[in-house]
Amino acid sequence: MIKVVVVGAGGRMGRVVSRAVWQAEDMVLAGAVDVRGEGQDVGLLWGGSEVGITLQRDLEEVLHRVAPHVMVDFTTPDAVADNVKKALRNGVRAVVGTTGMSGAELEEIRALAEKQRVGCVVAPNFALGAVLLIRFAAEAAKFFPHVEIIELHHDQKLDAPSGTALKTAEVVAAARGDFRQGLPAEVEKIPGARGACFDGGIRLHSVRLPGLVAHQEVIFGGLGQTLTIRHDSLSRESFVPGVLLAIRRVMELEGLVYGLDKLVFE
Ligand code: NAP
């Protein structure tokens, strides 16, 4: 049985993930951490009955007391790196869904995971459809190098653009090679009208509205035609199979793996 502690367990994703861990036959939900709601039973947070696991504030204390195999983090961009470092330093593997970590933080985590010889999976999107979208986008970019990315999320999301949009832009930029799109003489009448500008002029647009979950469109423009690839996470359940896969696979890993694609396709 894989002993799992979920951090951010009181949040939108944390609730869904801790319930999924609780229900998985090969896992035990050994602890739940959140900065809010200390003492609340997580079963009640899922809208079910009590399960005897209550939210705790102090991650370090929980890691020492429970000695889990894996810590899963769905918290906030400013909290995640510290949480992951605490886990790795205590010899606990980490599965990280929280987005918005800086490149420097990611490199620090890579080095720490290697030094500690502990597995760590960081994935900006655990939905299989999103991973496939990124793969298809890389393929299409070889033939249609003019690309714009529109990501759409619920209005409580803290970081923009989304980790998935950034990863898509990275992959598209690499696939189309030395290419620059856009008009140098273009004028924005309102700053930001054309979205954020990634390498080679790829534009990223972030929509935030209540009612949305997590969606992305990649639009390719060519002579007399466009190609649109779209993925919709209609509920947070869409992330669960990817998270459970990462928990199982991180048990055999050493060092950092970035992106669910590395676990699915390689
Ligand atoms: P959320 O509802 O705000 O949940 C985050 C929870 O973590 C909140 O309860 C928050 O408390 C808590 N928290 C903040 N700092 C903490 C700390 N130091 N220790 C413990 N708990 C802490 O957010 P969400 O919608 O669940 O999203 C969480 C993250 O997952 C975001 O970065 C989001 O982009 C990402 N995400 C990733 C995927 C993926 O597939 N990789 C999918 C969906 C979402 P407060 O409210 O008091 O701050």
Side-chain angles (χ1 to χ4, degrees), residues 182-195 203:
L183 276 182
E186 189 175 62
V187 175
E188 284 182 323
K189 288 189 182 163
I190 300 175
R194 290 283 292 118
R203 295 289 172 166

Side-chain angles (χ1 to χ4, degrees), residues 15-35:
R15 291 176 199 206
V16 172
V17 167
S18 43
R19 186 180 53 199
V21 167
W22 174 262
Q23 288 170 343
E25 284 179 359
D26 56 343
M27 295 177 198
V28 176
L29 181 65
V33 177
D34 206 292
V35 285

